[in-house]
Amino acid sequence: MVQRLRVRYAKRGRLRFTSHRDISRALERAVRRADVPVAFSAGFSPHPKISYVGGAAPTGVASEAEYLEISVTRECDPERLRIALDTSLPDGLDVLDVVEAGSTSLADRMECSAWELRLPGADPALAEAAAGKFLSADQVEVERLTKKGMRRFDAREAVLSLAVFEGNETTAGQASGQPCVILRMVVRHATPAVRPDDVLTGLRLVADFAPPVPPEVTRLAQGPLDVHTGEPADPLGLDRDTTRGGEAEPVGRHVDGHT
C-alpha cells in the first residue's frame, strides 16, 4: 500500500433499498472494472483493503454522504479514480468526491449526521407542535430491536436540532405538487445510534404524532459538528488539496494514469 484515498458516494433512487452488503459487493466489482490498483490483505483469504467509515445508512434510506477508504499499490489521481469508479457503478450509486487521505482518522471526524424526512399527507401544524414538545423534553425513551435484543435508550439527547418545513411530495425524485411535511434534523453520533425512525417514535410518544405513510428518508451530510452553523462540516476538508487544479487531459481507462 502506497496511498490511501477517501471516497464520498451517494445512494439514490431505488438503490436505497439495497443492503450494505450488496453495495459493498457492487463497489468491489466497480474497483475491478475500473482497474484500480487496490491493495489486498495478507493471509489465506485476501480481501481488498476497502473500509467503510461512519455508520452506513439503513436499508431503505437514501444518502448523499457515505464514505469509504481504499488503499492502493500505485499512486492514483483522485479525480481520475472518481470518474472511473462512478462510470463502473450502477445508476443510483454515485461517486461524488475522492481525496488523498491525510494523517488524521476520518472516523474520528464523523460526529453527527443531517437528515431529511419527507412525510406526505402529514399535518404541518401537528408536526410543528410535536417537534416543539420533543425538543422541550428532557428525555424521550424509545425502544428498538437490535442485534442484542430489545434496547431502550434516550432519543432526545442526541438530537441537536429539529425543524419542520413545508414542501412538495416527491416520487422517484420528481415533485408531484402535493403538499408534504419535511423534517430536518441534526443528530449526534452516539451509542446506540439514534436513527430518524427513533425520532419519529419519540414524536409519537410525546405528541401522538405519526405520519400517515412511511417517510422518505435521506441522509444529507455527516461529519464534524460546525459549532457556528450547527450542521455537519465537510469531513474531507482537512484532506483536500485546494492548490491543485483540475485535469486538462481526458481520463484514460486506467485510473493511475497509465494507458
Side-chain angles (χ1 to χ4, degrees):
M1 189 270 289
V2 300
Q3 185 186 35
R4 283 185 304 122
L5 295 149
R6 289 169 174 168
V7 179
R8 174 189 168 208
Y9 66 96
K11 182 176 66 163
R12 297 166 170 160
R14 294 195 301 173
L15 268 294
R16 69 185 185 275
F17 297 109
T18 306
S19 71
H20 181 62
R21 178 174 294 181
D22 287 338
I23 286 175
S24 300
R25 291 170 178 165
L27 283 162
E28 289 181 15
R29 286 195 295 269
V31 164
R32 292 195 296 270
R33 290 193 190 106
D35 200 21
V36 176
V38 61
F40 281 81
S41 61
F44 181 75
S45 180
H47 296 284
K49 287 190 173 183
I50 302 173
S51 58
Y52 295 85
V53 183
T59 302
V61 172
S63 178
E64 294 294 312
E66 301 298 290
Y67 292 88
L68 62 84
E69 290 187 341
I70 181 169
S71 299
V72 292
T73 58
R74 295 194 300 270
E75 290 279 340
C76 293
D77 176 76
E79 179 60 12
R80 290 183 177 224
L81 186 141
R82 185 197 68 77
I83 295 173
L85 273 183
D86 188 55
T87 303
S88 301
L89 284 166
D91 291 340
L93 280 181
D94 303 313
V95 180
L96 306 179
D97 200 2
V98 178
V99 300
E100 186 169 1
S103 58
T104 59
S105 168
L106 181 58
D108 290 344
R109 304 176 197 171
M110 300 302 186
E111 297 177 346
C112 62
S113 288
W115 301 89
E116 178 181 274
L117 288 73
R118 305 184 74 87
L119 311 178
D123 186 296
L126 294 179
E128 188 77 44
K133 288 183 179 180
F134 182 92
L135 291 173
S136 63
D138 293 329
Q139 187 174 3
V140 180
E141 288 196 341
V142 301
E143 286 187 334
R144 180 177 9 113
L145 185 62
T146 68
K147 294 179 180 179
K148 297 182 179 180
M150 191 63 71
R151 186 86 177 263
R152 188 174 184 86
F153 55 92
D154 178 20
R156 171 63 189 92
E157 183 179 5
V159 178
L160 302 176
S161 64
L162 175 61
V164 180
F165 302 89
E166 291 186 60
N168 292 327
E169 182 181 350
T170 61
T171 303
Q174 300 297 316
S176 69
Q178 298 298 316
C180 176
V181 169
I182 300 172
L183 298 182
R184 290 197 184 129
M185 63 185 75
V186 176
V187 181
R188 189 185 298 276
H189 294 177
T191 303
V194 174
R195 307 189 310 201
D197 54 315
D198 298 320
V199 177
L200 284 179
T201 299
L203 295 177
R204 178 176 55 81
L205 291 174
V206 300
D208 199 27
F209 172 79
V213 297
E216 180 182 317
V217 182
T218 302
R219 172 149 56 191
L220 302 176
Q222 63 171 322
L225 177 65
D226 186 324
V227 295
H228 300 292
T229 66
E231 299 279 338
D234 178 12
L236 302 182
L238 291 175
D239 305 306
R240 204 174 308 280
D241 181 4
T242 58
T243 65
R244 184 171 185 174
E247 295 292 331
E249 66 271 22
V251 176
R253 176 174 175 272
H254 295 267
V255 300
D256 60 351
H258 294 81
T259 56

